[in-house]
Amino acid sequence: MKIRVLTLFPQMFDCLNESIIGRAIKSGKLDFAAVDIRAYSKDKHQKCDDTPYGGGAGMVMAAQPIYDCINAVDPNHEYLRIYMSPKGERLSDGLCRTLAKNNNILLLCGHYEGVDQRVLDLCIDREVSIGDYVLSGGELAAMVVIDGVSRFVDGVLGSFDSHEDESFSNGMLEYPQYTRPPEFMGLKVPEVLLNGNHKEIASFRAQKSRELTKRLRPDLLSGEE
Ligand code: 6GU
């Protein structure tokens, strides 16, 4: 999958070079680049924001640098163009899986009080939010989308990682995990996990999964959002 992020703060994305996503970038399963919107400003000081028409607090990102940046990165509209915004559709396991079906995704990150509506109207396919709270920019949200979506791209998870049992994969929370030692600070690993009986282990985990979901996220069981 090819991912392009358009941002005023490209260095913020350096942290994607770690762990599973970093490995996927190094191996070529993900082709990732953060593109600096400022480089496309035609202003002599490369200014990218201005005061809002109609007044009000803060600054608005101007249309021109963003428009030119999008058209330089994606001249033939081959990317799904997403604007990161608290007004967008809320990210979920389902939306991550849907977005992972695209070969190319472009994520536009706003800052300040937002971006000129006209560039959204002209260029953007969909808007995505990561939850009902406001962040100071779209960058952290874009990283959440990149991580959450990439995990569903073929080859990004190694053979030892998997979606199979993880939370939300079957509409429930994942069972608790344990590793060595068998006893820590007086707390023992549940006996059933030590006995090597795969059928019993599976049924123990399914039961824990149901219990946890019922206690912590009853909304998942009743089919509500
Ligand atoms: Cl995508 N952007 C910003 N600025 N705030 C958010 C968000 C996005 N999602 C939740 N809050």
Side-chain angles (χ1 to χ4, degrees):
M1 171 184 263
K2 221 160 137 177
I3 303 172
R4 295 291 178 266
V5 174
L6 278 50
T7 171
L8 291 173
F9 303 97
Q11 309 91 310
M12 282 181 76
F13 292 85
D14 290 351
C15 67
L16 293 177
N17 291 317
E18 305 287 340
S19 188
I20 292 177
I21 304 307
R23 183 182 68 196
I25 292 170
K26 283 177 202 103
S27 74
K29 297 287 189 294
L30 295 177
D31 170 353
F32 173 77
V35 182
D36 189 357
I37 295 168
R38 196 172 301 282
Y40 294 87
S41 172
K42 289 184 172 139
D43 177 80
K44 60 178 180 292
H45 303 298
Q46 292 194 301
K47 196 169 127 91
C48 290
D49 61 335
D50 211 331
T51 52
Y53 277 121
M59 301 291 270
V60 175
M61 283 173 72
Q64 177 275 316
I66 295 172
Y67 185 82
D68 287 351
C69 186
I70 291 175
N71 285 302
V73 170
D74 182 27
N76 302 315
H77 206 152
E78 292 162 343
Y79 285 75
L80 179 70
R81 299 168 170 182
I82 300 168
Y83 175 52
M84 299 308 308
S85 159
K87 295 179 200 166
E89 179 183 352
R90 181 123 45 100
L91 192 65
S92 61
D93 180 72
L95 184 52
C96 286
R97 290 172 191 266
T98 301
L99 295 178
K101 296 190 176 115
N102 292 277
N103 287 327
N104 309 300
I105 65 177
L106 179 158
L107 301 166
L108 171 64
C109 300
H111 237 269
Y112 316 116
E113 298 305 310
V115 320
D116 189 308
Q117 183 62 38
R118 292 167 295 182
V119 80
L120 304 179
D121 294 344
L122 286 166
C123 301
I124 293 298
D125 301 314
R126 64 198 290 178
E127 300 194 16
V128 172
S129 162
I130 63 166
D132 292 344
Y133 41 84
V134 174
L135 303 171
S136 40
E139 284 78 8
L140 287 169
M143 288 182 233
V144 169
V145 170
I146 292 165
D147 191 301
V149 170
S150 296
R151 304 178 75 265
F152 293 109
V153 172
D154 276 346
V156 167
L157 291 190
S159 50
F160 293 103
D161 322 307
S162 139
H163 306 294
E164 220 152 86
D165 288 341
E166 70 189 14
S167 292
F168 311 111
S169 63
N170 56 1
M172 288 204 268
L173 303 181
E174 193 189 356
Y175 48 79
Q177 297 277 18
Y178 302 88
T179 186
R180 274 183 284 270
E183 184 172 337
F184 181 72
M185 302 291 276
L187 297 183
K188 293 195 165 98
V189 174
E191 192 64 37
V192 58
L193 299 177
L194 306 175
N195 74 10
N197 183 328
H198 297 292
K199 234 174 151 165
E200 281 184 24
I201 291 171
S203 107
F204 170 81
R205 286 175 163 171
Q207 184 200 333
K208 285 289 166 197
S209 191
R210 277 192 303 274
E211 281 172 17
L212 267 182
T213 310
K214 198 169 165 198
R215 178 152 57 87
L216 301 176
R217 291 295 306 276
D219 56 305
L220 294 176
L221 295 173
S222 61
E224 297 162 26
E225 242 302 275

